[in-house]
Amino acid sequence: MFSPLAFPTGIILYDLLTSVPSASQLGLAPLELHREPLLVVGVVDGKAMSVSNGNESLKSPSLHRFEGQMVGLTAEESEQLSSYHDELRHTYPKALVHQIFLFDFSSLDMRLPDWLIAVPSLENSKTTTMKTIMCDLTSLFLAEMTSYAKSLQALSSLDSPRPVTTERLPNGHLSMQAASSDDVSRVSKRSPAAQEASPTLSADEIEDSSQQVSPPASVTTAALDRPSSRGSRTISPANGFRTPPVTFDEIDRRPSSPPSNDRVRSLSRDAVSVQGFGPGSYGERVRNKGKGRIGIAMGSLYLLAGRWPDAVRELVEGATIARANRDHLWHAKALDHILVCLIMSAWIGMDFEVPQICYNVAEKSNTSKFPKHTGSTSLPDPPSLKTPNAANRLVSLKNLTNLLPELVNNILDLYVRSASFTVEQLPDIAFSESTIRFAKLLTVVQLSYGVFDDRGLQHVVLGGKLNPPRRDIPEQMSPFLSKSDIAAVAFRAFPNASSEAQMLLVDRVTVLAGLGSVLSELGFHRKKAFVLRELLSYLLPALVQSRKDGAAEMGVHPAASLISADTIARNTGLEGVVGQENSEQGLQGFLALICKPYGVAGSMILRSIDDSIIQNNRLQQTPEQPAKSLDDLNKDVALSVINQATSRAFGANYLKIDILRSCISVCEALPDLGGVVRFSADLLRTAGSGIAPGPDSGNGSPALPVEDQIRLVNNITRTSSIADQLGFGKIEAEYWDNFLVRDIEALGPAPPTAPTPRSKNELEVARSIETQKEKSPFIFSSFTKKQPVTSTKLLLLADEEVEFIVTLQNLYEFDIEVEWLTLEHSGVPLDFSTQGMVVGPYRTQTMQLFGTPKSPGSLKITGCIAKIKGCKQQRFPVFSAPWAYKPDKKIKRSGLNALMKKARPVSVASDVAKGKLGHTSVDPASSSISLKVISHQPNIIVKQNSFAQSAVMLLEGEKRIHTITLQNLSEGLPIDLLLVSFSDSTTAIYQSSLNGKDLSAAELYEVELSAMHRQPLRWRREKHSEEPFIPPSGEITLEIEVLGQPGLSYGNVQVDYGYIGVPKSEIEDVFYTRQVNVPITVTVNASVELARNDFLPFTSDFAWANQQHKQPSATGSENSPQHHRQRTTSRTAKKAEKCFQSLLSRLGCGSQGDDHCLFLLDLHNSWPSPLSITIQVRDNVTTDLSPSDPWKRAYSVHEVLQPGRTSRLVLLLPRISISNPFAPIPSLNPSTKRQYVVGASKQSPATELESRETFWYREEILKMIRGTWEEDSSNRRGEIDFRSIRLSPRMVDAVRLEDIAISMTVTPNPDEDDEDFTDSGTSSIHPVRQLTRNKFTIPTSRFLTLKILIQSRLPQPIHPLLRLQPSLANHPPNDALDLGRKFAWHGLLQQALPLLAPGEVREVELGFCVLCKGDFEIGACVEETRVWKPPTTRAAGGEGEGEQQGKGSGRRVRANTADDDDLGRGEGLGASEARRTWHARESCLLRAVDWEEEMDSS
């Protein structure tokens, strides 16, 4: 009947149990036949059997039930196996198969009875051995199921299960006798004829009685009595009936308890009959209902046998009959089994069709007539399973998925309707389990985004972890049911108050656990926590009662039962619960799941156990995993602090305390000593503040009364000591405050004598700074930086005792007993002593520890290792900074998402941030102490100081020498390293000015130049090649030059010294130095100050006149302006006049240029004594420099300034020409010399160009002058600072030489005959006389030549256009240009000239003739016709124009590119973006006279 050949692809899935199901589970048969154990397998260890000789055959009297002999076992062992088999048959009489597996039995060739199967050892087994054994067992099971099915078919009807109301055992289970009697009561022996004999029932009673259908009396067991081929169905002579019974009549004949009241009432209804005959009669309805129930039972058997097509056929037929007869309970169960068959078919890959019975079709209104079911002709065609087809299978799965919510709802409604409209009521355990099963099925589909795929089928059938596919589909857009709808379906299984009397404790716990599992998969963790807490509320009273009963059996008080935990555990079978190994993954992990959604701040071990349950048990450490570093351990502690703080901020505090107290009570009732200790510590941790308070922090007391805190800590210590006494090992808690150690301080040597580590690079930088003539303040030297003591690495000396101060914190209201505490260190050996103490309630307390380093090297103090009474030995990092948790102000998540959200992966610190909770506060940072142990170092003192009381008074610009004598106090070590560095008050002023963002480029350059070239303190060394050396007990004298500057109030001479022992070039590692500081107090008074300055233009006629004296011209020197110049000077100014006259006489001679300007200086004497000043001026910086003395050819001006007086000095300075006056202002700081730096100046381009031009002309002026002052009475002397000179655009115009210089001279025409100008009595006289540089006297009506000299001082070529403009002098503009019949010229007044190269002098001639007497003026200008652009390509390696541009400007050109050239010319600021025009500085003045009249008058 159940042959596998009919459906070869079928599969039987075994649910292996190690205990008997509860009575409520067994009472669900025959509605759910899988509830009963149908196959019982005994397991025997074959290695324990003694093997006899092969020649000896032993027979046991108990082996007469099978033919043959059992060879290889002794008679005693054979009797034991037979007794064991009989015991199985007697204990489980309703099982179909009773079999014994003899594992690891060596004699496999012996003949064994049918109920005994020998399983070979692992070495002798093949890959198919166990599969073959299970196939044989399955074959036997299917054969026995055939007889069982035929016995069911012989029945007329089956009763529905009813709630269990019999007595219960202490553990909540029914006895097997009660279960058997309950089964008997479910099958009555009344016939339909007997039921029809009672006509007094009402319609409701008829409806009620229709559910109590009995099989016909004519069905006997003799027809079904057939011998079995296997020994498991033989009749035992002990009881005299078939075991197990094949019919319910045989069950009814077994001894049972007296019938209950319900059975008596059922028997009283046997006299009831219904009038009427035919298809619609009551009897026909009862028969149809019974037939439908038998068909559904047969379908369930086919389902168990793996023949799902036959099961679907039988179930569809039975469901159709049940629906027609309103048998709601069996109708729902048939639909339930049909759904299972479809899922199993889809799981094996078969194509299927959803039966029409599964669709919720509204019943017709006329239900009084029922069809006569005479065979398959009255039923729809049953669905058939076809060959696998991928496309059809996907369509079928989609149809099933779409139908699933409606089908589940229909089944549950039918279950509810069966209890509402009939006397039959499905037991609460069956309804709850079915609801949970349906909810899990819906959950699998929902987690797969509405797709019932192979992954979901595998999970539904075989269980395991569900890994749904990852899709970015929002839940609200999923076509399937939402999680909330599925949760609502699952909560229909929640046991209500009325079901407490009907549902056993075990069943209630099972239902709540299943409901929590569904809610967990849906992600409703808070609902799951509510369900599990309800489970705990049911479980806790039973555990407490069990504890009381166990204590009563032992004769002790329940409160003292914890002491006898070992004995109680053995008596109650809880040996594994008391131990800690099993409870971590069992009870404590379960309690952790309950506590986590409430936000309980659990210990690190408990959280790890919780995470291991979710993340495949990551707690298991393998030997291959490397040990964590100290930094990783500190990060783990910081992460634990953040997680605990976030958990404290989540949820209600009273709920956390309540659930933790419940957990403690459960652990005490079992008893679980590890759980008692752990959850007591968790309660202290959760109720604590979890902060590291500072001086201004708020209250950090726990949220528990003082009595509860003391009770919890006493409970921890007492439980830990009891566990140790009972031999359970160390059961200790994790300390509840990670901020125990707040600070560790090492008291090393005093700061003046503390050594400082240095590197070779620092030494090289310091030595390079010392060898420079002018020290750059922008080159950083670590020797000049004063390190604070708290930030430097503390250095210790070997074999010298060091004192450590440890600060401990206790925020609870009870004393903490520290059994011992020691320092956690790494590096050199450190001898220290452990020490214990008692930290008082709510305070910080210090502890002194002493240690001695034994050898030079590195030493790092990372924390403390402490043992608190009742707690584990634990490592505590140092959290010195105050810390308190600050939740995120932006609410981005709510509910449990705010607690269980995962942090994004980052950075480093984020490498440890797995599972890190979100917060806005800074993570608690652990600190450590890094120490260095070094050998002995020398020591020096300041023996002598030349400044009395280290104070000196200076004038501005004055220099003074300060001598310092140092003595080496070490007798055995010399000093071979001596570095001198300085710091003063001006450094802070310069630094603040450099940090300012509002300084212009010129002001920034001034600040940088002052900081570099005018340093107040400088070490004067005579020989830089000799390194300073101080022998043991020797001395050395240092000469320090002090310069008086404004703002200098104090200075410090810092001397770093040490003993290296090797040459400086061979230093490889870090060396150590000590310091000695010599402070100097400086008072700087004002001396000579520059009050104001001015630049005025000066005529070049003096230079021209001096040149005429050396080279007399034909015009004679008597007409020179010097002969006509009259001087009226007073007698007091004769000396100055004489000096000025000597200065004027030098103009135009030698290398002196022709163009000069006047430089006016107003100097003020602020010192109360007269000061003699000397000002030196040199004409040309580039040509007058002498290698030995750059100021050799400079002229000097001397003056004596009286106290408080201001004197003006007049100086002549040559005018200056700069090839690139718009070049960017440089920066002396190397860090600012970058390319493509955006300027911070907000000046306009025109202002920026003006600032640049002023800067470069001022720099050239400062190169040409210098000044000194001297006080004759005290021999004080110093330099005058001219950096305060400021230039205006007018002054720049007076100093600047034109880029294009235009000069004009008039000469006679060489083609003219000179006879007209020659007299017989006189020498030849030129008709043209030059009066000054630009003024000429010319004759009229004579052809003359005008020579125009054009000189280019530009750095690049130009395309010039010369424009000449003759006009009448001293006339209005309109009349001045009227030159008709007055002035004639030969050529063009406007003419384009060839390309004018840089530095080229071009001469242009123009012939003209003056036609009348008068004064004329000729103006000239040169205009740039087009902007010259350099060629795009230049010869490689050649000197380009960009390099020529850099010459003369005194600055380096960075790159020979067009962009750099444009930037240097200021084109980016508009300096050379348009065509330029240059005008002649002086016009050519012509006085035309009649030559004949002039000759006559002369």
Side-chain angles (χ1 to χ4, degrees), residues 35 151 280 360 367 441 528 568-569 661 760 803 821 956 1057 1160 1226 1425 1434:
R35 300 285 187 174
S151 65
N360 188 13
T367 58
L441 182 61
K528 179 193 69 175
I568 297 175
R661 285 174 175 169
K760 182 178 179 181
E803 180 181 359
L821 184 142
E956 291 184 10
Y1057 62 94
L1160 305 181
T1425 58
R1434 298 176 182 175

Side-chain angles (χ1 to χ4, degrees), residues 1467-1489:
E1467 292 184 3
L1469 301 174
S1472 300
E1473 297 176 357
R1475 294 185 293 115
R1476 296 165 289 180
T1477 303
W1478 296 271
H1479 296 271
R1481 189 177 185 89
E1482 296 176 346
S1483 300
C1484 182
L1485 302 179
L1486 303 177
R1487 172 167 292 182
V1489 297

Side-chain angles (χ1 to χ4, degrees), residues 1037-1054:
T1037 301
L1038 304 179
E1039 293 185 356
I1040 308 300
E1041 182 183 83
V1042 184
L1043 173 63
Q1045 285 188 7
L1048 179 62
S1049 58
Y1050 67 90
N1052 182 54
V1053 181
Q1054 177 180 311

Side-chain angles (χ1 to χ4, degrees), residues 328-329 414-426:
H328 304 303
L329 178 60
L414 289 174
Y415 282 143
V416 175
R417 195 183 305 173
S418 65
S420 301
F421 296 97
T422 62
V423 295
E424 297 180 350
Q425 181 181 357
L426 183 68

Side-chain angles (χ1 to χ4, degrees), residues 1307-1330:
T1307 60
N1309 192 351
D1311 297 336
E1312 285 286 339
D1313 190 3
D1314 294 340
E1315 294 180 356
D1316 296 337
F1317 300 98
T1318 304
D1319 191 5
S1320 61
T1322 60
S1323 61
S1324 66
I1325 300 175
H1326 287 284
V1328 178
R1329 289 184 300 173
Q1330 185 175 2

Side-chain angles (χ1 to χ4, degrees), residues 1405-1457:
E1405 295 182 354
L1406 177 67
F1408 71 95
C1409 180
V1410 179
L1411 304 179
C1412 65
K1413 295 188 300 182
D1415 293 336
F1416 295 88
E1417 182 180 356
I1418 300 178
C1421 69
V1422 175
E1423 183 178 348
E1424 189 177 16
T1425 58
R1426 66 177 183 274
V1427 179
W1428 177 83
K1429 294 184 179 180
T1432 56
T1433 59
R1434 298 176 182 175
E1439 182 178 351
E1441 296 178 4
E1443 296 176 351
Q1444 296 176 2
Q1445 175 187 349
K1447 296 179 179 180
S1449 61
R1451 58 188 299 270
R1452 178 177 60 88
V1453 179
R1454 291 178 296 174
N1456 192 12
T1457 61

